Amino acid sequence: VDDYKAEVILKINKENINSAYIFEEILGTGYYGTVKVGVPKNDTRKKYAIKSIDKERLSDNKISQLSREIETLTAVDHPN
């Protein structure tokens, strides 16, 4: 992982995300975090699955995997 990507991933925090989304039900949980339904505060007609990651559990390798996952998921806009 290049240092910039790791820095960006680790800087995203609860305050940033909570100022942009209203969180609803939990869709699933796992070792690294939870997936919840998120509704953008600026467009409540849309809903997204938002993964919340426990950053303290992330090794450098996991940050690299997460970076690739973010790149993939941001390229996809699936209606379901």
Side-chain angles (χ1 to χ4, degrees), residues 44-75:
T44 57
R45 296 169 293 163
K46 296 181 180 179
K47 291 187 177 190
Y48 297 96
I50 299 176
K51 183 184 264 186
S52 172
I53 304 291
D54 181 354
K55 294 176 204 164
E56 292 184 16
R57 294 183 181 251
L58 294 178
S59 64
D60 287 342
N61 184 44
K62 292 298 179 188
I63 290 173
S64 179
Q65 291 174 353
L66 181 59
S67 177
R68 286 192 302 274
E69 181 178 351
I70 290 168
E71 288 173 7
T72 301
L73 292 174
T74 55

Side-chain angles (χ1 to χ4, degrees), residues 5-69:
K5 285 183 183 177
E7 183 178 329
V8 168
I9 290 169
L10 295 174
K11 279 188 177 180
I12 298 170
N13 64 46
K14 217 179 225 185
E15 292 173 17
N16 297 119
I17 199 80
N18 285 333
S19 66
Y21 290 90
I22 300 164
F23 288 94
E24 297 181 344
E25 71 270 13
I26 294 174
L27 298 175
T29 59
Y31 181 76
Y32 290 104
T34 304
V35 178
K36 295 181 181 179
V37 173
V39 179
K41 290 183 178 181
N42 65 355
D43 187 354
T44 57
R45 296 169 293 163
K46 296 181 180 179
K47 291 187 177 190
Y48 297 96
I50 299 176
K51 183 184 264 186
S52 172
I53 304 291
D54 181 354
K55 294 176 204 164
E56 292 184 16
R57 294 183 181 251
L58 294 178
S59 64
D60 287 342
N61 184 44
K62 292 298 179 188
I63 290 173
S64 179
Q65 291 174 353
L66 181 59
S67 177
R68 286 192 302 274
E69 181 178 351

